Amino acid sequence: MSVRFQRRVAELLCAALQFLLPPKQRDWGLAIRAELAEIAEDSQALWFALESFRGLAPRAIGLLLLQPFLSLLGVVVRVSRTRGGLGPEAVGVLCAVGAVCLGLVYMTLAGAPARYLGGNVGALVIGLVLWALVRRASAPVGRGAGALILGLSGLLLATSLLGFRVEGASRWVGFGGVFLQPSLILLPLMLVGYSRTRTPLATLGMVVAALAMALQPDRAMAAMMTLALATVAATRVDRSTLSAFAASLLAFVVTLLRPDALPATPFVDQILFSSFAVHALAGLAVVAGLGLLLVPVMMRRVCGEDGRTACFTFGATWLAGILAAALGNHPTPLVGYGGSAILGYLLSLALLPRPVRRQGAGSTSAAPDKPLPSRDLQTKLTLA
Amino acid sequence: MPRTRALSNHARAVLAALLDAGEGWSHGYELCRLAEVKSGTLYPLLIRLEAQGYLEAEWQQPEEGGRPPRHAYRLTQTGVQLARDNPPDGKVATRRGLREVPT
């Protein structure tokens, strides 16, 4: 490398660093550039510039990546204030986008391959399309909900019996070289759907799904089922719900007794704590991203009684997913590499109820999915 | 806010170099050589020390014409106290030729 070239590269690195640094720290970038001029030896100048870039650029890039999300959050807060509130499904979509962005920050800082970042962004785009499609179709929580849940549970059972097998676990299916985890995509959707329907077919679907989780075996998904169905049972005490809960609990116990020898996958499992070893900012991004996943539960007040149960079930579902990721070798939802959790989160959001709006607030005020007694509706409209 | 976490050996070495300079101003490259730290370690540390009020920084015009202004650093009163409270460990101080500061 020629002397002149070394000096030019060093100057370019310093210029890039100055550009990347947040406005408040630009002076420091300028300081490094000025210092470079005082170093007579060109190779030492290049080394000085390279080291400075290595020390300051990751944090600067992380802050740059966070910036669009922070701006988006500001816009949401302003819209929410002027329009009187957003529903949990709309807030959840913003949280999903934020969590995926924070996951990208973590993966960038941790040195994940670029295709991992592209994979999560692609899954987010597909998930948003699916969310819009499912949300538009009212059928999932209508008459066909029970049959749909039963049909989806059949897919989970088929995955357990015929899916791609690793270390005794059969949880995946392959599509053109991409492996997806159907349980992580479908089970959250089924659980939120079940919290809003009571048909025998839906209950049978839950029992079949529990059997599928025990067969796979998948502790994380079985725990997700158990916690979510316990939440439903706490607000809706009937034989069907208790049967579904009992089946999920039994499945969870079976998964605990069966061996789980799957090793941790880089950038997928065990990242909640290990991310802090990479960089403090990476750790904060992971924790903040996981925290965002539970934010939609806070919007339950704008929904009806039915909506609250669905919101709590949604929260329990993803809380279980987060805890499982913290405790074992299970995918860290949305902030870790993997499209299944992104698709599952957005699909489950699509079944959350829309807010009960004030009269006159909009020409097409969205009604709750189940007709409410007139007294309750009036009370909610008064309180809204 | 006062720093409660234990300082790294690199941070102690940089503080000792700045303490040695007393009222005089130091520059980035010079600090790298004196404290034997890489610039990728030095600058994040200097940024934190300045944000926490332990360090003051200013732009100084060069004595020779044709050169750009340089960023210069020295410890504030609280920075001096921090440096005195956190001397480099014996091994680092001896290896790097930094004087040990009595506490």
Side-chain angles (χ1 to χ4, degrees):
Chain A
M1 197 184 289
S2 74
V3 168
R4 194 177 188 82
F5 185 70
Q6 286 179 347
R7 178 68 64 171
R8 181 62 62 88
V9 172
E11 285 168 358
L12 277 173
L13 278 170
C14 286
L17 183 59
Q18 198 182 345
F19 172 77
L20 288 173
L21 284 169
K24 281 183 182 175
Q25 293 180 1
R26 292 260 161 85
D27 256 15
W28 290 94
L30 195 60
I32 294 168
R33 285 182 85 169
E35 208 59 23
L36 205 64
E38 298 294 324
I39 304 173
E41 182 73 27
D42 290 298
S43 56
Q44 281 182 15
L46 177 59
W47 189 244
F48 185 83
L50 275 169
E51 271 299 322
S52 303
F53 192 87
R54 187 196 62 79
L56 291 173
R59 182 184 169 82
I61 291 170
L63 288 171
L64 267 180
L65 288 171
L66 278 176
Q67 198 54 47
F69 169 64
L70 294 174
S71 304
L72 185 65
L73 201 61
V75 170
V76 171
V77 169
R78 281 197 296 278
V79 169
S80 181
R81 280 179 184 161
T82 53
R83 294 197 174 183
L86 295 171
E89 86 292 1
V91 169
V93 167
L94 293 169
C95 291
V97 174
V100 171
C101 289
L102 288 166
L104 296 182
V105 171
Y106 153 72
M107 284 195 276
T108 303
L109 292 172
R115 66 187 169 84
Y116 280 22
L117 278 68
N120 273 21
V121 172
L124 179 64
V125 172
I126 294 169
L128 288 171
V129 173
L130 291 176
W131 169 78
L133 291 174
V134 174
R135 190 169 177 264
R136 183 166 289 189
S138 55
V141 285
R143 284 181 206 161
L148 184 67
I149 289 173
L150 183 59
L152 294 176
S153 70
L155 290 177
L156 297 185
L157 191 59
T159 305
S160 304
L161 299 173
L162 308 168
F164 185 74
R165 191 169 287 274
V166 180
E167 298 282 354
S170 178
R171 302 173 196 163
W172 303 272
V173 291
F175 287 108
V178 176
F179 285 91
L180 294 173
Q181 188 179 333
S183 56
L184 199 46
I185 299 171
L186 300 177
L187 195 59
L189 174 86
M190 293 163 65
L191 291 168
V192 176
Y194 186 70
S195 73
R196 300 181 65 185
T197 188
R198 304 162 189 244
T199 65
L201 279 181
T203 303
L204 181 60
M206 283 294 118
V207 173
V208 173
L211 174 65
M213 294 310 104
L215 286 173
Q216 287 193 4
D218 191 336
R219 289 174 189 170
M221 293 294 106
M224 187 182 269
M225 271 197 88
T226 307
L227 195 58
L229 290 175
T231 307
V232 179
T235 55
R236 196 177 79 191
V237 184
D238 55 37
R239 187 177 292 176
S240 300
T241 311
L242 291 176
S243 303
F245 169 64
S248 67
L249 188 60
L250 188 61
F252 182 45
V253 171
V254 169
T255 60
L256 288 178
L257 295 175
R258 295 185 65 183
D260 186 354
L262 278 177
T265 308
F267 307 110
V268 177
D269 307 324
Q270 297 282 338
I271 65 172
L272 186 56
F273 303 114
S274 67
S275 56
F276 281 96
V278 173
H279 195 283
L281 189 67
L284 288 175
V286 168
V287 170
L290 291 176
L292 276 179
L293 301 187
L294 303 177
V295 167
V297 183
M298 295 163 67
M299 308 300 293
R300 65 187 182 279
R301 291 180 193 282
V302 299
C303 302
E305 194 62 42
D306 167 63
R308 279 180 207 161
T309 304
C311 283
F312 278 128
T313 306
F314 175 88
T317 299
W318 291 103
L319 177 64
I322 293 167
L323 291 175
L327 298 174
N329 293 340
H330 302 290
T332 315
L334 279 80
V335 294
Y337 170 59
S340 299
I342 297 172
L343 296 177
Y345 187 81
L346 284 161
L347 281 174
S348 61
L349 275 176
L351 289 197
L352 288 180
R354 296 170 201 186
V356 178
R357 294 185 190 281
R358 281 176 293 184
Q359 266 179 329
S363 56
T364 57
S365 59
D369 299 278
K370 191 177 66 174
L372 292 163
S374 60
R375 185 173 57 81
D376 284 358
L377 182 61
Q378 196 164 5
T379 308
K380 284 174 177 60
L381 291 175
T382 310
L383 293 173
Chain B
M1 184 180 286
R3 191 184 176 107
T4 53
R5 200 179 61 172
L7 292 176
S8 67
N9 281 339
H10 287 317
R12 289 163 185 261
V14 171
L15 283 170
L18 286 162
L19 190 65
D20 274 347
E23 289 291 306
W25 293 89
S26 304
H27 299 101
Y29 186 54
E30 175 193 8
L31 282 171
C32 284
R33 285 188 292 112
L34 285 173
E36 285 192 15
V37 294
K38 293 173 179 173
S39 57
T41 306
L42 176 76
Y43 280 101
L45 179 65
L46 291 179
I47 291 172
R48 278 203 300 277
L49 288 173
E50 198 218 12
Q52 291 166 349
Y54 295 122
L55 186 81
E56 54 184 326
E58 71 168 30
W59 285 100
Q60 291 179 342
Q61 290 303 320
E63 291 173 3
E64 298 174 37
R67 286 193 172 277
R70 290 179 80 182
H71 214 211
Y73 320 101
R74 72 178 175 191
L75 293 174
T76 60
Q77 280 306 310
T78 53
V80 168
Q81 193 57 50
L82 180 75
R84 285 182 177 153
D85 291 344
N86 294 277
D89 65 35
K91 189 178 164 188
V92 172
T94 308
R95 179 162 51 84
R96 294 182 177 159
L98 297 167
R99 77 182 168 83
E100 286 202 64
V101 184
T103 51

